[in-house]
Amino acid sequence: MTSPRPRLAPLYLAGFTTAFGAHGIAAALGAETEDIGWTLLAFGFTLALYDLAEVLLKPVFGALSDRIGVRPVIVAGLLAFAVFSVVGALVPGTVGLIVARFGQGAAASAFSPASSAAVARLADDASRGRYFGRYGSWKSLGYALGPLLGAGLIVWAGLPALFWALAAVALIAAAWVRFGVPVVPVLPRKRVTVADLARELAAPGFLVPTLVLAATTGGLAVAVGFLPLLGRETGIGTVGSMALVTVLAVVSSIVQPFAGSLHDRGRLPVRLGAVGGLALLAAGIVVAGLWPMLPTLIVAAVLIGAGVGLATPVAFSHLAATTPPERMGRTMGSAELGRELGDAGGPLVAGAVATATVPGVGLVVIGGLTVCAGILAALGLRRPPVES
């Protein structure tokens, strides 16, 4: 199932869809909270539903893709995403938003890890980093454009317009995956016990790259929340503050394919890419926390975007290279779970410390934790063995 030019473009659109849905709806709900009449508690609960569904279901759907194939899981997940988006567009009020948000998260938990597994299965060892970089680049574009597109659609025709747009994108992606992505055959699998699963999850080949992915996702989530906050405190204004996140995401989307290609050619070893990426990420977070001024915040956004873009494709490529193909879906689902925990844990830690002190201290703490993750990665990452 390897090809020098695998047909992966439909999978890039699937990655864009989940990122667009996550950040576009989150930003839209933040803008519409007062009109809906929510309390902050209800707002936070609704935001968390998307991530909660992914935490619960990503390993389940990842394992399912090993049983029935990745393409059916991706297509079914995208179709379900479209259906729940229509629910959000047609059902008014809090109930419709809650159902739509949880349903979208559940659907994304199906097609997101299955898409990662498909990239790993369809790309060969010589090109896997490059294609993971492209996949991550499109996800970064979704994170960057989601809030901007969501804001534009809401101004144009209200919140239902955003849900209709997400439904349309998901339907297009589902059709394109169904007819554009080749079938990935289901491979024979041995019976797995709970003890076997525990050994797999504790193995350095899984645990260390997943730690890197969790650290990059956690740092990214903190930056997406705190950079606009610091920008507004320094008088940049709302538009300028949001532009910092766009700078971060665009830099990440540019760096990821470049870093993946260097990794494939042997010019960016896995340890250097992961540790270097985490070092850039930590430096950017600390710079933002210690010197919150417009020039330094721009530098911080560039450093964070470069760090995420450097570490992510290298970690995914290493994870795929050390995983047997017959359990690629389960491994990617579990790795995505690690990313979701980082996505939730990073802002929680930064917010708790910032509440007790000031936002800058919260960022410095996250920077320190990222450095710790980099040290563990330096000690634990090895190049995957070359198959004879």
Side-chain angles (χ1 to χ4, degrees):
M1 289 306 302
T2 58
S3 168
R5 299 183 67 179
R7 291 170 287 174
L8 301 183
L11 301 176
Y12 304 157
L13 182 57
F16 176 87
T17 302
T18 183
F20 179 22
H23 279 212
I25 294 294
L29 292 179
E32 296 286 297
T33 297
E34 292 185 4
D35 294 336
I36 298 171
W38 278 344
T39 64
L40 287 177
L41 179 61
F43 170 61
F45 172 74
T46 306
L47 284 181
L49 283 174
Y50 194 98
D51 292 326
L52 176 62
E54 290 191 308
V55 167
L56 294 175
L57 297 175
K58 273 188 172 180
V60 175
F61 284 117
L64 180 64
S65 70
D66 290 331
R67 289 180 174 271
I68 67 174
V70 292
R71 194 173 70 176
V73 175
I74 298 171
V75 172
L78 287 165
L79 291 175
F81 191 92
V83 169
F84 283 108
S85 298
V86 171
V87 170
L90 294 179
V91 180
T94 303
V95 173
L97 288 172
I98 288 175
V99 172
R101 185 73 177 169
F102 186 82
Q104 285 180 328
S109 69
F111 67 80
S112 182
S115 296
S116 299
V119 173
R121 291 285 307 278
L122 290 169
D124 57 24
D125 292 340
S127 62
R128 187 175 286 126
R130 180 168 74 251
Y131 288 114
F132 266 119
R134 292 179 181 176
Y135 178 72
S137 176
W138 278 93
K139 269 197 166 184
S140 293
L141 286 176
Y143 291 135
L145 296 178
L148 299 177
L149 292 174
L153 288 166
I154 289 173
V155 170
W156 172 56
L159 187 59
L162 176 55
F163 278 112
W164 284 119
L166 287 169
V169 172
L171 286 174
I172 293 170
W176 198 9
V177 170
R178 172 62 182 81
F179 297 105
V181 175
V183 174
V184 182
V186 178
L187 300 176
R189 298 173 300 108
K190 68 176 184 178
R191 188 178 183 87
V192 178
T193 65
V194 174
D196 293 331
L197 181 60
R199 281 194 294 270
E200 291 173 9
L201 298 180
F206 170 83
L207 198 58
V208 180
T210 301
L211 173 65
V212 173
L213 292 171
T216 56
T217 306
L220 174 62
V222 169
V224 167
F226 276 77
L227 285 180
L229 172 66
L230 294 173
R232 287 193 299 271
E233 289 183 351
T234 56
I236 297 175
T238 301
V239 175
S241 299
M242 291 301 296
L244 292 171
V245 177
T246 301
V247 169
L248 185 161
V250 169
V251 170
S252 176
S253 69
I254 293 172
V255 171
Q256 288 200 51
F258 181 67
S261 181
L262 287 178
H263 178 63
D264 290 335
R265 298 200 299 269
R267 299 171 68 178
L268 181 63
V270 59
R271 191 183 303 174
L272 177 61
V275 176
L278 291 177
L280 289 174
L281 174 61
I285 293 173
V286 171
V287 165
L290 293 180
W291 302 285
M293 300 172 288
L294 177 57
T296 53
L297 289 177
I298 295 174
V299 171
V302 172
L303 289 174
I304 294 168
V308 172
L310 188 63
T312 300
V314 171
F316 263 123
S317 182
H318 180 77
L319 188 64
T322 56
T323 300
E326 67 272 11
R327 58 178 173 88
M328 190 67 71
R330 185 170 76 239
T331 297
M332 289 299 172
S334 299
E336 290 279 358
L337 170 60
R339 296 186 79 192
E340 292 300 327
L341 293 176
D343 193 20
L348 285 175
V349 172
V353 175
T355 300
T357 55
V358 293
V361 176
L363 290 177
V364 171
V365 169
I366 293 298
L369 292 175
T370 305
V371 169
C372 293
I375 293 172
L376 292 175
L379 296 174
L381 279 175
R382 301 288 188 274
R383 289 186 63 89
V386 178
E387 297 182 0
S388 59

